Amino acid sequence: MSLSIQHLAAVDLGSNSFRMLVGKAAEHPHGAQIYPLDSLREPVRLGAGLDANKNLTEESQQRALATLARFGERLRQFQPERVRAVATNAVRVAKNAHAFLERAQQALGFPIEVIAGREEARLVYIGAAHSVAPAAGNRLVVDIGGGSTEFIIGQGHEPRMMESLYIGCVSMSRDFFPGGLVDEQRMKSAELAARREVQIIAREFRKAGWTNAVGSSGTARALADILTGNQLNPPGQSLGITRIGLRELRKLYARAGDLGALKLAGLKPDRVPVAAGGLAIMLAIFEELGIREMEATDAGLRLGVLYDLLGREQQHDMRELTVQQFMQRYGVDARQAARVESLALTLFLQLHPQAGTAEQQTLRWAAQLHEVGLSISHSAYHKHSAYIVANADMPGFSRSEQASMADMVLCHGGKLKKLGSLDELNLDLRAVLALRLAVLLARNRRDVNVDGLRLLPGNGKAGLQGVTMLADPTWLRGSPLTQFSLEQEVAEWQRSGVQLTLQAAPVA
């Protein structure tokens, strides 16, 4: 399809605001370019709706659901593969996130991914880097969100160092400036708290260095507007954010007592509740990282999501690169991984001929990564593999995608009694069976001819109940170890309550 007519959409469930961006992808001499067509923003403040037990209150959920329903109406004509919705810190930390996401996805009409902090940082950098002029050397991008702040150093459009800290304008304002109250002592306490967090990464980032700094999204853009609108930056510095300007703004805030009574050009009413928290964090960043001035851009996570989505459309999927990098890092036998992948897909499609791309991808990646745990220990390596896949930073993957792969990897070996503790709603048992059989058949780490084996799909439990493994008698007689292993596999599934049978008969 021509890129000139390709429309994509991103939805960002931020801790402060929910945003939607619709863009058009078009050809450009230096690659594809995304041009924004439509955007919506609503200050939901989901992060402020976390109660003392880290549960999202019903009131905050209702605000979120109403907003998502409005976004959903705008996106109603989009194909699912052209929309990507991501949730950040507030949903990451919420204990009732699973229940909220079920309602949220129904309201929006599209799946919602919860992304980890470093994945958020990666997407932020991609969006910011595409919205500002090219710069030689390293670029620092900082994104102050509602519940977390992302720090990235990269070159061109490629992020190199990524960190995410649990400080955000919503949480900082809630903890230090309740009700908009602000004075010298509150400002000082908030700054010190933020500086203590930034110190964790300051040394490493300052060592890497950068030639220009960019602040992305809401807080940075709002600060730039206030500093410019009230002429707080030094003469000759009319745009962006400066250390001098931030210090001048700090004086105004500290003297105000109540931000609601402070009239400043560029300070929009909907940002007043989080303004002091955002300023305290930005001051801490400038002081700890030694920044004098910073460019501001509206772009960030949403535009980064669109570019990442476009990359998937053009077969430049970051997830594929991540899997290959993990295989290299953990010394995976690439030939064996490819062998298991091919076998698993062949068997899976026998059980599930209508399997979609996403279902096949999850199985492919699980097969490629199923032996990463061998780098730790051969004993119970499937557990080590699953732990790595579940907990490592995997650029391009959402948390739910990692969890699904990790469950599949965990189940590729060992007993199946573990199934009872896994989320079977998101785990396709047909893919689990296909992966287990592929590993079993490729045990001797040589190419395998499986023309003598065919799987006949059953029903129930995602089509797994009543599956028959049809094996050619001649093939079985020539493979006594394989026959013994298949019989053991049948017994293992039957112990877990699944009626799997092995039948010796000619394979058509």
Side-chain angles (χ1 to χ4, degrees):
M1 179 179 288
S2 171
L3 286 177
S4 62
I5 59 172
Q6 188 169 351
H7 289 189
L8 304 169
V11 178
D12 168 14
L13 283 69
S15 300
N16 184 44
S17 301
F18 281 14
R19 298 170 183 261
M20 183 193 71
L21 178 63
V22 175
K24 180 178 73 173
E27 295 290 356
H28 187 274
H30 301 292
Q33 187 77 22
I34 292 177
Y35 298 92
L37 296 177
D38 189 16
S39 63
L40 292 173
R41 172 185 177 272
E42 295 197 26
V44 175
R45 293 198 184 87
L46 194 65
L50 288 166
D51 63 21
N53 296 317
K54 296 293 183 181
N55 284 308
L56 292 167
T57 65
E58 182 61 26
E59 181 184 0
S60 67
Q61 290 189 55
Q62 288 299 329
R63 291 197 305 270
L65 296 174
T67 296
L68 292 173
R70 290 189 282 273
F71 287 5
E73 180 185 348
R74 173 64 179 84
L75 302 174
R76 196 167 291 161
Q77 304 305 315
F78 276 73
Q79 294 297 315
E81 64 272 13
R82 300 291 171 83
V83 178
R84 189 179 180 194
V86 299
T88 58
N89 188 70
V91 182
R92 280 199 293 264
V93 303
K95 293 182 178 178
N96 58 344
H98 185 74
F100 166 68
L101 284 172
E102 287 186 355
R103 303 169 72 187
Q105 290 174 150
Q106 184 175 4
L108 181 63
F110 296 91
I112 298 172
E113 306 171 24
V114 182
I115 55 175
R118 288 197 178 183
E119 172 65 1
E120 182 179 354
R122 184 184 74 87
L123 295 171
V124 163
Y125 182 86
I126 294 171
H130 275 92
S131 70
V132 296
N138 286 347
R139 168 185 283 127
L140 169 69
V141 173
V142 175
D143 186 287
I144 300 174
S148 65
T149 297
E150 280 62 54
F151 300 79
I152 316 96
I153 287 179
Q155 289 187 2
H157 296 151
E158 296 296 323
R160 302 290 176 83
M161 294 173 57
M162 295 166 285
E163 290 290 350
S164 179
L165 301 180
Y166 285 116
I167 46 174
C169 61
V170 171
S171 53
M172 187 66 70
S173 297
R174 179 193 61 217
D175 294 343
F176 293 93
F177 309 103
L181 298 177
V182 59
D183 53 35
E184 176 60 34
Q185 186 56 46
R186 293 176 189 271
M187 282 299 307
K188 183 177 181 180
S189 297
E191 286 177 59
L192 289 174
R195 290 185 69 168
R196 185 169 60 246
E197 296 299 318
V198 179
Q199 281 175 356
I200 297 172
I201 66 165
R203 182 175 180 180
E204 184 180 3
F205 270 65
R206 294 184 76 157
K207 182 179 179 181
W210 55 85
T211 56
N212 79 310
V214 177
S216 65
S217 298
T219 294
R221 184 71 265 168
L223 285 170
D225 290 344
I226 295 169
L227 297 182
T228 301
N230 298 278
Q231 299 182 335
L232 297 176
N233 284 326
Q237 181 69 48
S238 59
L239 298 176
I241 304 169
T242 67
R243 185 187 299 183
I244 292 174
L246 291 175
R247 288 172 174 171
E248 291 300 314
L249 182 59
R250 182 193 187 285
K251 294 176 185 177
L252 295 178
Y253 278 18
R255 288 199 297 262
D258 183 354
L259 283 181
L262 186 61
K263 304 301 179 183
L264 288 173
L267 179 57
K268 299 177 181 179
D270 67 289
R271 292 215 67 91
V272 169
V274 297
L279 174 61
I281 295 171
M282 189 65 84
L283 279 165
I285 292 169
F286 267 62
E287 296 296 338
E288 290 299 323
L289 298 185
I291 301 171
R292 293 186 177 276
E293 59 184 21
M294 175 183 285
E295 182 179 357
T297 176
D298 287 322
L301 179 60
R302 295 163 304 289
L303 186 58
V305 168
L306 289 187
Y307 273 103
D308 199 60
L309 194 57
L310 178 61
R312 296 182 182 185
E313 291 273 322
Q314 296 179 310
Q315 308 305 311
H316 301 306
D317 195 333
M318 184 65 196
R319 295 172 297 179
E320 295 284 359
L321 178 59
T322 294
V323 170
Q324 294 304 312
Q325 289 175 337
F326 266 57
M327 290 174 67
Q328 293 176 11
R329 181 190 305 176
Y330 293 101
V332 171
D333 182 340
R335 289 185 178 181
Q336 176 68 359
R339 191 176 291 121
V340 170
E341 175 193 345
S342 177
L343 286 170
L345 280 175
T346 298
L347 296 171
F348 180 54
L349 289 173
Q350 290 177 8
L351 290 172
H352 187 16
Q354 289 80 38
T357 301
E359 295 168 294
Q360 294 183 54
Q361 280 181 323
T362 302
L363 177 57
R364 282 183 49 243
W365 292 325
Q368 291 171 347
L369 297 174
H370 79 282
E371 287 191 338
V372 293
L374 282 175
S375 61
I376 299 174
S377 171
H378 182 272
S379 176
Y381 78 90
H382 61 290
K383 297 180 181 178
H384 303 310
S385 296
Y387 182 85
I388 291 171
V389 173
N391 295 282
D393 288 318
M394 298 186 69
F397 286 97
S398 68
R399 283 188 166 185
S400 59
E401 287 174 328
Q402 284 187 237
S404 295
M405 286 192 301
D407 285 349
M408 202 172 293
V409 168
L410 179 65
C411 291
H412 90 264
K415 303 296 184 182
L416 285 171
K417 60 183 180 181
K418 62 177 77 74
L419 286 173
S421 62
L422 300 179
D423 183 4
E424 289 192 38
L425 291 177
N426 295 313
L427 182 63
D428 193 328
L429 295 183
R430 291 168 296 190
V432 172
L433 174 59
L435 182 57
R436 286 177 66 92
L437 291 176
V439 173
L440 181 157
L441 292 168
R443 173 177 286 158
N444 65 0
R445 309 184 83 82
R446 295 178 181 176
D447 291 342
V448 181
N449 183 350
V450 290
D451 291 342
L453 179 68
R454 182 162 185 83
L455 304 184
L456 304 180
N459 50 50
K461 281 201 175 185
L464 187 61
Q465 193 69 268
V467 166
T468 299
M469 292 193 291
L470 198 63
D472 184 272
T474 302
W475 181 80
L476 278 180
R477 284 194 297 271
S479 310
L481 176 59
T482 297
Q483 178 177 355
F484 176 74
S485 299
L486 290 175
E487 290 170 349
Q488 285 189 313
E489 186 68 12
V490 166
E492 185 62 35
W493 280 99
Q494 290 182 348
R495 279 192 292 270
S496 67
V498 174
Q499 290 306 308
L500 174 68
T501 58
L502 175 63
Q503 180 179 341
V507 176

